[in-house]
Each structure stands twice: as C-alpha cells, then as structure tokens.
Amino acid sequence: MTRLRRQLLRRNTRHQTNGTQKRTEPVYKDPREIQLMREAGRIVARVHMAMKESVRPGISTLELDAIALDILRRHNANSSFYGYNGFPANICASINDELVHGIPNAKRILKEGDIISIDIGSYYRGFVGDSGWTYAVGGISADAQRVMDVTEASLWAGIAQAVPGNQVRDISRAIQQHVESHHMYIVKEYTGHGVGRDMHEAPQVLNYVSGDADSSLVLRPGLVLAVEPMVQLGTDKTRTLKDNWTVISKDHSLSAHFEHTIAITNQGPEILTLL
Ligand code: MG
Ligand code: MG
C-alpha cells in the first residue's frame, strides 16, 4: 500500500518518462475562469503572509498548518493538498534538507537558523491556487541564504519567460541556467505543472531543458502554470522518508522551493498567487 501511495503521488508530480502513462492536453481558461483562479491565488497569498508572520523559533509545523487552514476556511476555501493521494495535512512544511512534501507535526519545532519551505494549495469555487515559499527562521547561515536567494531568483527568471509565443522550455532553460550558474542542483524528479480545476494538469514544466513533448508547447493566453524550481546545495539526488511523503536531499544538504501560479496573458505573465 505504501508503495502504491508513492506511485500515485509520483504519477502527478514526477517527470513522466514512461510512455504508457496517459498524457492529457492543456486546459485553456476563459476570463471568468482566470478570475476565479485569481481569487484562489489571492487566498494562497494571504496564507503565505500569515506564514511569514508566524514562522519563528518555537512554533511547530502543525501550528502553522492550523493557522493556514483557518485562513483558507475564512475565505471559503479548502486545502487542495488534504487527502490528495492520501496526504494527511493542509500544507507541506519541509525543513532544511527536506525539499518538499514534509508533513506538519506537533513535534517538529522550528529553531533559530532553520529554513522552512511551505507549500500551500487552495481549492476555491472549483479552482486551485498553488504557491510555495522558503522562509528563514531567525538568523540563518550564508549557505541557507544563498540557496534561498538563488532558488527565488530562478523562479523570477523562469516567470519572465512565460510570455505568449515562447515555449515551455524557455521557462525551464531560464531556471536551469540561473541555478547552475551558481553551482547548485536542480532536482529533476519533481516538476512544475499546469493548474486549474485539477492541481496537476498538462503541461509538465520542467526545471531543466529536456526533449520531453511538453517542452515544445507554445505558450498562449489562457494557459495557467505553476512554476516551481526545487534546488539543493550539494546534489540532485533525493530520498523519500519512511512516511512515504517527505522528500529530502540524499546528502542532507539544504534545499529550497519557490513557486507561483501564473497566467499567460498578452500583457505577459500575471502572477495569480500574489495580493
Ligand atoms: Mg505547490
Ligand atoms: Mg505545484
């Protein structure tokens, strides 16, 4: 069962190298749907504001989860993560060498010098907003600051390429070039994705250049993407913990994850997960 659960998870978030897997077509959103996604995205942004204010030494990741759920509910939204392939919490909270999919826990208490990646998905009036951010807990090391800065900058570099006429691979290339020019490592097993009524829609948005079919998709208005570089300081290899969710860097080096949901528009990328 545990292996199945992992396979189910990876069906949606891993780089699909298996040609037998079903490939779906991108879903283009009309203006009314984009407006709903804007609202779903703004709710995620509000939760992130609260996370930024709440992250401090002494707070547990389960307390952060409760704060997030409270804000989602107050905006008539739910967590799009809870129950997804059996995920048992409302946010993902991943500390230091944990890259993604960390499960909030009352015993995981933040301490000075940690970094924590918090991934939040809202489900609001039939649509998903998806955004992740890595936060510093008090004063952090130069290495921790560096992996955060490089990963965030690679997100912005990728988003800058999200304009009509470009291909998905232009986003991927910009992310990869920025990260690798700083001698850090892209994790290739997990990717960005289309987002809409489903949390994971076509196309995959890789964080590196590849010959996969989705990379050649030409961006056009109505496409909504979650762009999300996942970066580690010392290796591109990961390991999944026995909880079958938490992904860590294999060498325990620090990891960061930054993600926005963006809509492709004729005026350029519109970031939906901002206030
Ligand atoms: Mg996310
Ligand atoms: Mg995502």
Side-chain angles (χ1 to χ4, degrees), residues 220-240:
R220 58 182 180 85
L223 193 62
V224 181
L225 303 174
V227 179
E228 50 177 319
M230 287 156 266
V231 174
Q232 298 178 160
L233 259 186
T235 179
D236 62 350
K237 304 266 186 313
T238 63
R239 187 162 73 78
T240 304

Side-chain angles (χ1 to χ4, degrees), residues 57-238:
I59 195 167
S60 75
T61 53
L62 193 65
E63 288 173 281
L64 294 173
D65 188 279
I67 293 166
L69 180 61
D70 181 56
I71 295 167
L72 289 168
R73 291 248 168 97
R74 277 196 272 132
H75 291 86
N76 302 312
N78 288 311
S79 163
S80 62
F81 297 172
Y82 185 83
Y84 187 84
N85 292 335
F87 189 73
N90 299 294
I91 62 172
C92 296
S94 310
I95 302 171
N96 296 335
D97 62 342
E98 297 170 357
L99 177 70
V100 288
H101 303 163
I103 302 171
N105 186 313
K107 292 180 181 153
R108 291 304 300 278
I109 312 288
L110 298 185
K111 58 183 194 311
E112 179 91 14
D114 285 340
I115 56 174
I116 178 170
S117 299
I118 299 177
D119 198 350
I120 296 161
S122 66
Y123 188 66
Y124 175 78
R125 295 178 66 186
F127 286 91
V128 172
D130 188 6
S131 172
W133 213 254
T134 303
Y135 297 98
V137 184
I140 58 173
S141 68
D143 273 351
Q145 191 65 56
R146 229 160 43 86
V147 73
M148 285 174 61
D149 289 348
V150 167
T151 310
E152 182 185 349
S154 77
L155 170 66
W156 295 117
I159 289 173
Q161 295 299 317
V163 296
N166 268 359
Q167 295 176 310
V168 170
R169 69 160 52 83
D170 293 305
I171 300 173
S172 308
R173 183 186 299 109
I175 292 169
Q176 181 176 26
Q177 284 180 349
H178 187 83
V179 171
E180 291 183 352
S181 73
H182 289 83
H183 311 291
M184 296 183 194
Y185 296 85
I186 305 260
V187 172
K188 296 184 174 168
E189 303 149 271
Y190 301 93
T191 75
H193 50 90
V195 54
R197 291 188 182 276
D198 289 325
M199 188 155 63
H200 296 114
E201 298 182 351
Q204 291 191 110
V205 183
L206 303 182
N207 294 312
Y208 62 100
V209 175
S210 126
D212 83 317
D214 287 3
S215 290
S216 59
L217 180 76
V218 176
L219 305 176
R220 58 182 180 85
L223 193 62
V224 181
L225 303 174
V227 179
E228 50 177 319
M230 287 156 266
V231 174
Q232 298 178 160
L233 259 186
T235 179
D236 62 350
K237 304 266 186 313
T238 63

